[in-house]
Amino acid sequence: TEPQVQSQHVLFLCHGMGGDQSDFEAWFGIFEARFPDWKCIPIQSIAKGSRFVGDSLDDLAQRAGGEVAAELTKLANDFSHLTLHMLGHSMGGLVLRGALPVICETASALPVRIDFGHYLSLSTPHLGVQSAWSSPLHFWKNLSKFTSFVSSQLVQLAIQDGSATELPYLVQLADPSGPYIAGLRRFRTRTTVSC
């Protein structure tokens, strides 16, 4: 069937390390009051893998990208025009950036118009994480060398995952000529907020 001639704003929210969709309960109330016609969708497929020393950032990004792609495909059955927005909190901002190539590829293949609206990251460690040894509450950030045999997550967050033949994952995300920045460029606005 032909999609109805309607447009829909859709906002995907991605939580950070150890989070789940409940992290955004307050945001849902704010968005529903301010944008009552928007569809707000929390990314749920990464909850288990986003725990401390969980899945790698690139694995989480692939999972999130697949979830967003599936949701966009479903929405394309009901709408002729979608405007896509993204909100990532903490590590969730990195996961969303890593998911952009899959999301952009899906958006280009769908038979509906998809505009890229706003990309917002809140307290996302775009430049990685490390801590002074004198900061005991943040000591975990320096544990990546000891956790690398269990998970590459902290190694990636600390930008210590590179090799002689491959750049660290966060550096790949920031490559101006790479697919991740190309995906970010598609958004009308891109905002990063730090605390």
Side-chain angles (χ1 to χ4, degrees):
T1 63
E2 286 287 317
Q4 299 175 10
V5 180
Q6 328 180 325
S7 65
Q8 175 69 56
H9 285 264
V10 58
L11 169 66
F12 288 96
L13 301 101
C14 190
H15 60 78
M17 185 183 288
D20 61 30
Q21 70 180 26
S22 67
D23 292 359
F24 292 110
E25 287 176 1
W27 283 96
F28 289 135
I30 291 167
F31 282 116
E32 288 170 0
R34 178 122 188 215
F35 306 108
D37 298 330
W38 285 29
K39 183 170 181 67
C40 297
I41 302 172
I43 294 175
Q44 301 179 50
S45 61
I46 68 164
K48 184 177 179 184
S50 67
R51 69 191 184 285
F52 181 73
V53 192
D55 295 341
S56 68
L57 295 178
D58 46 326
D59 286 347
L60 294 171
Q62 287 300 310
R63 201 170 308 137
E67 183 177 344
V68 171
E71 289 291 337
L72 289 176
T73 302
K74 281 192 250 176
L75 289 166
N77 292 323
D78 298 324
F79 299 97
S80 60
H81 175 218
L82 298 170
T83 302
L84 176 64
H85 308 281
M86 299 278 188
L87 186 155
H89 172 251
S90 191
M91 188 175 75
L94 298 174
V95 171
L96 284 179
R97 282 179 56 203
L100 286 176
V102 171
I103 294 166
C104 291
E105 182 179 324
T106 300
S108 296
L110 290 173
V112 298
R113 177 178 159 199
I114 298 183
D115 293 328
F116 287 71
H118 307 286
Y119 174 91
L120 173 63
S121 65
L122 304 171
S123 298
T124 297
H126 294 288
L127 301 176
V129 295
Q130 282 196 316
S131 175
W133 290 102
S134 61
S135 300
L137 294 178
H138 298 279
F139 175 73
W140 68 267
K141 296 175 184 178
N142 297 324
L143 293 176
S144 63
K145 292 181 184 193
F146 306 109
T147 63
S148 62
F149 68 94
V150 176
S151 166
S152 61
Q153 184 185 88
L154 291 183
V155 179
Q156 288 175 319
L157 286 170
I159 315 178
Q160 297 176 3
D161 59 314
S163 69
T165 59
E166 189 171 28
L167 293 171
Y169 185 66
L170 294 188
V171 174
Q172 292 177 39
L173 290 181
D175 180 358
S177 61
Y180 308 104
I181 295 296
L184 273 178
R185 283 190 191 108
R186 292 185 68 173
F187 286 88
R188 186 169 40 97
T189 61
R190 299 161 297 276
T191 306
T192 299
V193 179
S194 263
C195 299

